[in-house]
mmCIF file of all heavy atoms in Angstrom:
data_model
loop_
_atom_site.group_PDB
_atom_site.id
_atom_site.type_symbol
_atom_site.label_atom_id
_atom_site.label_comp_id
_atom_site.label_asym_id
_atom_site.label_seq_id
_atom_site.Cartn_x
_atom_site.Cartn_y
_atom_site.Cartn_z
ATOM 1 N N ASP A 359 -30.643 35.564 -96.784
ATOM 2 C CA ASP A 359 -31.377 34.899 -97.867
ATOM 3 C C ASP A 359 -30.471 34.054 -98.756
ATOM 4 O O ASP A 359 -30.786 33.833 -99.930
ATOM 5 C CB ASP A 359 -32.116 35.937 -98.719
ATOM 6 C CG ASP A 359 -31.174 36.872 -99.474
ATOM 7 O OD1 ASP A 359 -30.002 37.007 -99.059
ATOM 8 O OD2 ASP A 359 -31.605 37.485 -100.469
ATOM 9 N N THR A 360 -29.362 33.560 -98.208
ATOM 10 C CA THR A 360 -28.505 32.649 -98.972
ATOM 11 C C THR A 360 -29.357 31.532 -99.569
ATOM 12 O O THR A 360 -30.149 30.912 -98.863
ATOM 13 C CB THR A 360 -27.437 32.023 -98.060
ATOM 14 O OG1 THR A 360 -26.876 33.028 -97.228
ATOM 15 C CG2 THR A 360 -26.362 31.349 -98.882
ATOM 16 N N GLU A 361 -29.209 31.291 -100.858
ATOM 17 C CA GLU A 361 -30.058 30.295 -101.525
ATOM 18 C C GLU A 361 -29.959 28.941 -100.826
ATOM 19 O O GLU A 361 -28.871 28.457 -100.519
ATOM 20 C CB GLU A 361 -29.661 30.150 -102.992
ATOM 21 C CG GLU A 361 -30.028 31.360 -103.842
ATOM 22 C CD GLU A 361 -31.529 31.624 -103.885
ATOM 23 O OE1 GLU A 361 -32.311 30.678 -103.689
ATOM 24 O OE2 GLU A 361 -31.918 32.790 -104.094
ATOM 25 N N HIS A 362 -31.100 28.360 -100.587
ATOM 26 C CA HIS A 362 -31.249 27.032 -99.967
ATOM 27 C C HIS A 362 -30.823 27.028 -98.496
ATOM 28 O O HIS A 362 -31.623 26.741 -97.614
ATOM 29 C CB HIS A 362 -30.488 25.958 -100.740
ATOM 30 C CG HIS A 362 -30.884 25.839 -102.170
ATOM 31 N ND1 HIS A 362 -32.185 25.607 -102.567
ATOM 32 C CD2 HIS A 362 -30.153 25.936 -103.312
ATOM 33 C CE1 HIS A 362 -32.241 25.556 -103.885
ATOM 34 N NE2 HIS A 362 -31.028 25.759 -104.365
ATOM 35 N N THR A 363 -29.537 27.322 -98.233
ATOM 36 C CA THR A 363 -29.015 27.100 -96.888
ATOM 37 C C THR A 363 -29.366 28.206 -95.905
ATOM 38 O O THR A 363 -29.579 27.939 -94.721
ATOM 39 C CB THR A 363 -27.491 26.953 -96.927
ATOM 40 O OG1 THR A 363 -26.911 28.151 -97.451
ATOM 41 C CG2 THR A 363 -27.098 25.773 -97.796
ATOM 42 N N GLY A 364 -29.425 29.459 -96.355
ATOM 43 C CA GLY A 364 -29.624 30.553 -95.423
ATOM 44 C C GLY A 364 -28.427 30.716 -94.502
ATOM 45 O O GLY A 364 -27.408 30.025 -94.619
ATOM 46 N N MET A 365 -28.549 31.632 -93.544
ATOM 47 C CA MET A 365 -27.480 31.857 -92.578
ATOM 48 C C MET A 365 -28.061 32.598 -91.375
ATOM 49 O O MET A 365 -28.855 33.518 -91.536
ATOM 50 C CB MET A 365 -26.333 32.678 -93.179
ATOM 51 C CG MET A 365 -25.133 32.862 -92.254
ATOM 52 S SD MET A 365 -23.915 34.044 -92.898
ATOM 53 C CE MET A 365 -23.500 33.280 -94.467
ATOM 54 N N LEU A 366 -27.677 32.186 -90.181
ATOM 55 C CA LEU A 366 -28.091 32.845 -88.942
ATOM 56 C C LEU A 366 -26.865 33.484 -88.316
ATOM 57 O O LEU A 366 -25.830 32.836 -88.159
ATOM 58 C CB LEU A 366 -28.710 31.824 -87.983
ATOM 59 C CG LEU A 366 -29.199 32.351 -86.630
ATOM 60 C CD1 LEU A 366 -30.375 33.291 -86.807
ATOM 61 C CD2 LEU A 366 -29.579 31.180 -85.711
ATOM 62 N N ILE A 367 -26.951 34.772 -87.973
ATOM 63 C CA ILE A 367 -25.818 35.473 -87.388
ATOM 64 C C ILE A 367 -26.271 36.254 -86.150
ATOM 65 O O ILE A 367 -27.451 36.546 -85.979
ATOM 66 C CB ILE A 367 -25.136 36.440 -88.386
ATOM 67 C CG1 ILE A 367 -26.070 37.607 -88.724
ATOM 68 C CG2 ILE A 367 -24.711 35.714 -89.653
ATOM 69 C CD1 ILE A 367 -25.395 38.692 -89.555
ATOM 70 N N ILE A 368 -25.317 36.568 -85.298
ATOM 71 C CA ILE A 368 -25.551 37.411 -84.131
ATOM 72 C C ILE A 368 -24.577 38.582 -84.200
ATOM 73 O O ILE A 368 -23.368 38.386 -84.366
ATOM 74 C CB ILE A 368 -25.394 36.629 -82.821
ATOM 75 C CG1 ILE A 368 -26.606 35.709 -82.622
ATOM 76 C CG2 ILE A 368 -25.238 37.563 -81.634
ATOM 77 C CD1 ILE A 368 -26.620 34.969 -81.313
ATOM 78 N N ALA A 369 -25.125 39.794 -84.075
ATOM 79 C CA ALA A 369 -24.325 41.017 -84.135
ATOM 80 C C ALA A 369 -24.140 41.582 -82.732
ATOM 81 O O ALA A 369 -25.070 41.577 -81.922
ATOM 82 C CB ALA A 369 -24.987 42.044 -85.048
ATOM 83 N N ARG A 370 -22.943 42.089 -82.451
ATOM 84 C CA ARG A 370 -22.627 42.635 -81.137
ATOM 85 C C ARG A 370 -21.684 43.826 -81.288
ATOM 86 O O ARG A 370 -20.949 43.922 -82.271
ATOM 87 C CB ARG A 370 -21.949 41.582 -80.252
ATOM 88 C CG ARG A 370 -22.712 40.292 -80.108
ATOM 89 C CD ARG A 370 -21.985 39.280 -79.237
ATOM 90 N NE ARG A 370 -20.752 38.809 -79.837
ATOM 91 C CZ ARG A 370 -19.976 37.864 -79.313
ATOM 92 N NH1 ARG A 370 -20.327 37.306 -78.169
ATOM 93 N NH2 ARG A 370 -18.871 37.470 -79.903
ATOM 94 N N TYR A 371 -21.720 44.705 -80.295
ATOM 95 C CA TYR A 371 -20.732 45.769 -80.218
ATOM 96 C C TYR A 371 -19.705 45.381 -79.163
ATOM 97 O O TYR A 371 -20.059 45.096 -78.015
ATOM 98 C CB TYR A 371 -21.363 47.114 -79.862
ATOM 99 C CG TYR A 371 -20.324 48.193 -79.603
ATOM 100 C CD1 TYR A 371 -19.519 48.653 -80.646
ATOM 101 C CD2 TYR A 371 -20.111 48.700 -78.326
ATOM 102 C CE1 TYR A 371 -18.538 49.603 -80.418
ATOM 103 C CE2 TYR A 371 -19.138 49.659 -78.089
ATOM 104 C CZ TYR A 371 -18.357 50.105 -79.148
ATOM 105 O OH TYR A 371 -17.376 51.049 -78.930
#
Side-chain angles (χ1 to χ4, degrees):
D359 66 339
T360 316
E361 289 298 335
H362 303 304
T363 61
M365 184 189 302
L366 180 66
I367 68 172
I368 286 185
R370 306 179 294 184
Y371 173 67

